[in-house]
Amino acid sequence: VVRTFGLRAGQPYDAKEVRSGVRRLFATGLFTDVTVTDSPAEGGGVALVVRVAERPHVKEILFRGVKKIEETVLKGKLTVVEGQLLDTGTLEVDARKIETAYGEEGYARATVRPRSEPIAAGAVRVVFEVVEGPKVKVRGILIHGNQGFTSKALSKAMKSRTPGFLAGGTFKPGQLEQDEVALRFHMRSRGYKDA
């Protein structure tokens, strides 16, 4: 901390250098808080006290409410790993990755809330609270503005299907973009270049 802070005993006091030292300490990524207080020292001069709050380490990762997807699969999607320093921004990104994984399985309304629980000095447990919700089904496909094609022909070009004898009809949010590309290709390959 002293080496990174950069000010040494005996050198002239400079408020700009103190602010630079605080910035250097934050730039290491090891601390959640850095404060510096100054007070008059015996024999003249200023005594600086640097207080830091270290970022805790991730000791354990847990999932609560998970039934439809294996926890090992979900752990494979995470950026955060046990042993690394806690970064709350990464937890939010990982929560969205878990929601995407559920969407790919047909649980488009699944929600994930990350949180951290202190379990020891400098260590936390990361918990992902999952509400899976029901599987979402495609109830119908409506296509508007098609003049050169029937809605049935365009629906066949898509991967999304309504439930039927051989089609599950599960709604997957990632499939919408693929269906849009498939429809565009289907129409353009049949002479509708501006489709």
Side-chain angles (χ1 to χ4, degrees):
V1 170
V2 172
R3 186 175 48 242
T4 304
F5 186 61
L7 293 173
R8 287 171 188 75
Q11 83 179 65
Y13 176 80
D14 183 0
K16 265 202 272 189
E17 280 299 315
V18 171
R19 285 191 297 274
S20 294
V22 169
R23 279 194 291 275
R24 283 191 294 274
L25 287 171
F26 269 120
T28 64
L30 299 173
F31 309 107
T32 58
D33 190 28
V34 176
T35 57
V36 178
T37 56
D38 56 10
S39 60
E42 287 182 28
V46 176
L48 295 178
V49 177
V50 180
R51 287 185 179 86
V52 295
E54 294 180 329
R55 284 176 43 200
H57 285 82
V58 176
K59 179 102 172 147
E60 184 180 18
I61 299 172
L62 295 177
F63 297 92
R64 293 200 177 124
V66 172
K67 295 180 188 100
K68 306 297 183 186
I69 298 179
E70 293 288 324
E71 287 186 19
T72 54
V73 172
L74 294 178
K75 265 196 178 177
K77 307 261 182 207
L78 300 179
T79 304
V80 67
V81 292
E82 293 171 358
Q84 79 177 38
L85 294 174
L86 177 68
D87 181 1
T88 53
T90 301
L91 294 184
E92 288 298 328
V93 170
D94 284 345
R96 300 304 75 81
K97 287 180 181 177
I98 294 169
E99 287 175 353
T100 300
Y102 269 95
E104 290 169 359
E105 295 297 320
Y107 298 92
R109 294 193 180 120
T111 59
V112 179
R113 190 176 62 96
R115 61 186 171 85
S116 59
E117 304 170 343
I119 56 173
V124 294
R125 172 187 300 125
V126 171
V127 180
F128 291 96
E129 296 279 351
V130 180
V131 178
E132 294 176 332
K135 207 168 217 185
V136 179
K137 297 286 187 179
V138 177
R139 293 292 174 221
I141 299 173
L142 300 173
I143 301 174
H144 298 279
N146 51 325
Q147 295 159 1
F149 301 93
T150 65
S151 292
K152 187 176 182 178
L154 292 176
S155 293
K156 283 185 180 180
M158 299 167 50
K159 283 191 178 181
S160 295
R161 302 265 186 259
T162 55
F165 180 65
L166 294 176
T170 302
F171 173 71
K172 298 178 181 176
Q175 192 65 54
L176 287 176
E177 203 170 294
Q178 294 174 13
D179 285 340
E180 183 181 339
V181 171
L183 285 172
R184 194 176 299 121
F185 176 76
H186 178 80
M187 290 184 280
R188 286 182 179 174
S189 66
R190 285 159 178 79
Y192 289 82
K193 299 296 182 198
D194 295 329

